[in-house]
Each structure stands twice: as C-alpha cells, then as structure tokens.
Amino acid sequence: MGPEIARYDGHAEWYEENFSALVSEEQESFLRGCLGAGREEICLDVACGTGRYGRVLAGAGYRPVGFDISADQLRFARRRVAAAVRADARRLPVRDAAVSLAAGTFFHTDVEDFAAVVREVARCLRPGGRFIYLGLHPCFVGPFVYRLTEHEDLALSFVTGYGTVGWANRASGDGSRIGGRVGFHHKTLAGFLTAFADAGLVIRAVQEFSVPGHPVLPWEIAVVTHKVPL
Ligand SMILES: C[S@@+](CC[C@H](N)C(=O)[O-])C[C@H]1O[C@@H](n2cnc3c(N)ncnc32)[C@H](O)[C@@H]1O
C-alpha cells in the first residue's frame, strides 16, 4: 500500500468557502432518518474534510470523530467536531469492532482504492454496525457527462468514458472545478457497490438524490449498509 497524497492541502480554504454550507434539507432528513437517535456513542466520520457533516451526526445524538488525510481540511473540521484526527482512511487508528456507526460523505471520487477504505471501515464496525455513505452518483457525474447547462437544455449528452476507471484527465463535468484542483477518480456503479459487498457489508437501502439546477438525472447516491452479524 503506497502513501496516500493529501490532495486537499492548500485547498481547504476554497473547500470551506464553496462547499461547507452545502448540506441540503433532503440529504439532512435522509441522514437523520437512517441515523436514528444516537446515545452519545462515538461515530466515525471517515474522510471528514472540513467536518461539514459533523453537525448532522452530532445533531442526531452521536459523538463524531473525524479522520482525514489532509491537515489543512482538519483545521476546519476541528471547529465542528470534538475530535478530528489525521489518518489515512485505509489504516484507521481504531480497534477492531470498536464502533457501531461510521459515516462517510463525498470521498469515493478522491481515493483510488475505495474498496480498501470500505474494508477498513468494516473492520472497525461491530457485527450489526452500520456504514452510511453519501457521494456523487457514479453513473451521472463524471468526465463522461457535462452537466452545466442541463437546467436550460433539459437534456444531457454523454460521451464515452463511463467504463474507464481511474483518475479523470478531464474535469468531472459538474462545474465544481474540484476535478481540476484535486483530481477526480471515476468508478463505475458496479465497482462502487461491490466495494461494500466485498467488505462483508449488506446493503439495506439505496437512495438517489437530485440537486437544484440539475433536473435531468440524479446527482448523488446514498447507501446504508450493515456489517453481517456473526
Ligand atoms: C470532497 S472531500 C469530502 C469531505 C467531507 N466528507 C465532505 O463531505 O465535505 C474529500 C476528502 O477526502 C479526503 N481524503 C482523500 N483521500 C483520503 C484518505 N486516503 N484518507 C483519508 N482522507 C482522505 C480529502 O482530504 C478530503 O478532505
């Protein structure tokens, strides 16, 4: 396992300004619904970035502990969550089967080996524990589709590339300019979902989300998974 590069170092200020307020009511109510009511137990926030989802986790009654590879992102996370630790998500400093809940948002396009991260999260979960993940939809956001004019056109055109897994050499097509700054690792839906199944996590729910200004196809996908009880 090679060293992971902290691609967001130097971009945290920009990320904070552009994304930290972006937690939609729909996302929040979906997450609240699947999180249920916590009893102040620890919840892992994997690749927490600036900690923008920490508020949702804490609001549901959990104690989020954020992990991220970027020290720059963690500067902001520490303002939102009680504990934020610099760590590679492929090697979390957490004991086996230590927690019953882990959450992750919008990072599968930032890691080359998402399956390794999901396996690591599964290792930290108790049998029956949950991993809730929300991120960009692999089928509808990526270098193979340009989505900046769909609100006017009410149409989208796709080009080749959906099946090409890897770092995109074009922008992600979503207008966030994130691909140009930190890179964008495209995965197919099959690769994305198989990461959970191969880690021994059972998918209990899947939800697709549209976002304002993008009426044609969904933008985000969430999966709720459980570690198979022994
Ligand atoms: C798009 S940001 C998402 C941050 C946050 N979860 C959110 O929804 O705002 C992706 C984050 O993944 C982090 N990241 C990328 N590779 C990582 C790794 N191997 N281990 C831990 N964090 C990683 C980046 O530093 C960045 O903060």
Side-chain angles (χ1 to χ4, degrees):
M1 191 185 291
E4 195 62 270
I5 302 164
R7 294 188 173 80
Y8 283 70
D9 279 359
H11 299 288
E13 211 89 47
W14 170 81
Y15 192 84
E16 172 72 6
E17 268 168 35
N18 288 278
F19 297 98
S20 287
L22 290 186
V23 178
S24 72
E25 270 177 38
E26 196 189 1
Q27 282 175 359
E28 188 160 343
S29 90
F30 170 80
L31 290 172
R32 284 282 174 99
C34 43
L35 286 167
R39 294 187 198 135
E40 292 304 311
E41 62 264 44
I42 284 179
C43 155
L44 310 184
D45 185 353
V46 182
C48 64
T50 54
R52 67 176 164 150
Y53 284 90
R55 186 182 52 79
V56 179
L57 299 170
Y62 296 89
R63 277 193 292 146
V65 178
F67 297 93
D68 202 280
I69 195 89
S70 164
D72 204 14
Q73 293 276 75
L74 288 170
R75 283 191 300 128
F76 293 94
R78 291 200 176 98
R79 299 175 192 173
R80 298 197 169 97
V81 294
V85 178
R86 184 162 186 275
D88 184 340
R90 299 172 304 171
R91 278 182 299 256
L92 293 169
V94 177
R95 290 193 320 272
D96 291 356
V99 296
S100 55
L101 180 66
T105 53
F106 298 97
F107 73 81
H108 74 271
T109 46
D110 290 286
V111 293
E112 209 163 298
D113 194 351
F114 183 55
V117 176
V118 180
R119 276 197 305 276
E120 180 64 350
V121 172
R123 179 190 67 73
C124 300
L125 287 177
R126 291 185 192 120
R130 294 171 297 158
F131 179 34
I132 300 170
Y133 184 80
L134 166 69
L136 297 174
H137 201 304
C139 299
F140 306 131
V141 180
F144 48 84
V145 58
Y146 182 76
R147 297 201 60 169
L148 290 188
T149 51
E150 78 185 81
H151 61 287
E152 295 146 24
D153 304 343
L154 296 180
L156 284 173
S157 55
F158 287 74
V159 296
T160 53
Y162 172 73
T164 307
V165 171
W167 292 104
N169 57 9
R170 278 175 286 182
S172 56
D174 65 352
S176 67
R177 300 186 310 278
I178 206 159
R181 277 178 179 258
V182 293
F184 183 96
H185 195 277
H186 170 63
K187 292 153 184 71
T188 62
L189 182 65
F192 172 75
L193 293 177
T194 301
F196 297 97
D198 282 354
L201 299 176
V202 175
I203 296 175
R204 290 283 164 81
V206 179
Q207 177 113 356
E208 293 171 308
F209 298 93
S210 290
V211 299
H214 297 283
V216 179
L217 283 169
W219 191 270
E220 295 163 356
I221 188 167
V223 289
V224 180
T225 70
H226 286 216
K227 181 167 173 175
V228 179
L230 293 174

